Amino acid sequence: MEPVRHVRVKVCCISSREEARLAVSCGAAALGLVSKMPSGPGVIDEGLITELASQAPPGISTFLLTCEEDADRLVAQARRTRVNTVQVVDRVGTAVLRHVRASLPSVKLVQVVHVVDATSVDEACDVAREVDALLLDSGNPALAVKELGGTGRVHDWAFSRRIREAVSVPVFLAGGLNPENVGEAIRAVGPFGLDVCSGLRTGGHLDEEKLQRFMRAVRAAEG
């Protein structure tokens, strides 16, 4: 898929109505709402996820980040929270993804691929045909306590570019992005969208000054 000039920004780990409003007012196209995870920042309860999803303005994507691996549980969680996008943060089988898509035809499905090495390119190509988009992150699902996002680490963007060039679905880039490196990331990968959490936070809270600098850097890099 060719790189997109207008890069969408997803602000993840939204924890309150105030953070959601701030993200949207600064130009975010999507909000990331994190449900129960084995590790990582930004987890909120499903009641708040449902509230934030219902209050999002028209045109704003609401992403449920879920580590559920069972198809029926995934579908039930998406229906409870009333999001318009499900982000599967762990590797699940093809049958699970197909069941979710068939059960939730109006909900977009995004699969996270944790970029480690060249095998991640093959993984991304295999799963791309089953989902609406890929999100390339820097976790490590192989650990005893799985890292499924929010690590603040940058992975090798050369592999992300190879993935973006090889698949036909949109690609979001995540992992250690911040106002200082996001322009380089856009030029290196050419992603459809960006996903950012820790790089915009101070003391655990969404930082308006960092967010504004991030958005300015994104727009400047679109060129």
Side-chain angles (χ1 to χ4, degrees), residues 156-173:
D156 188 336
W157 291 332
F159 292 123
S160 290
R161 185 177 185 92
R162 284 174 57 186
I163 291 169
R164 196 270 297 162
E165 291 175 338
V167 301
S168 60
V169 297
V171 168
F172 287 80
L173 179 67

Side-chain angles (χ1 to χ4, degrees), residues 91-94 97 101 111-113 120-134 167 169:
R91 187 182 300 183
V92 299
T94 297
L97 296 173
R101 293 192 86 180
Q111 175 67 59
V112 173
V113 175
S120 304
V121 180
D122 295 333
E123 178 188 345
C125 291
D126 287 343
V127 77
R129 64 178 64 92
E130 307 297 342
V131 295
D132 298 295
L134 298 176
V167 301
V169 297

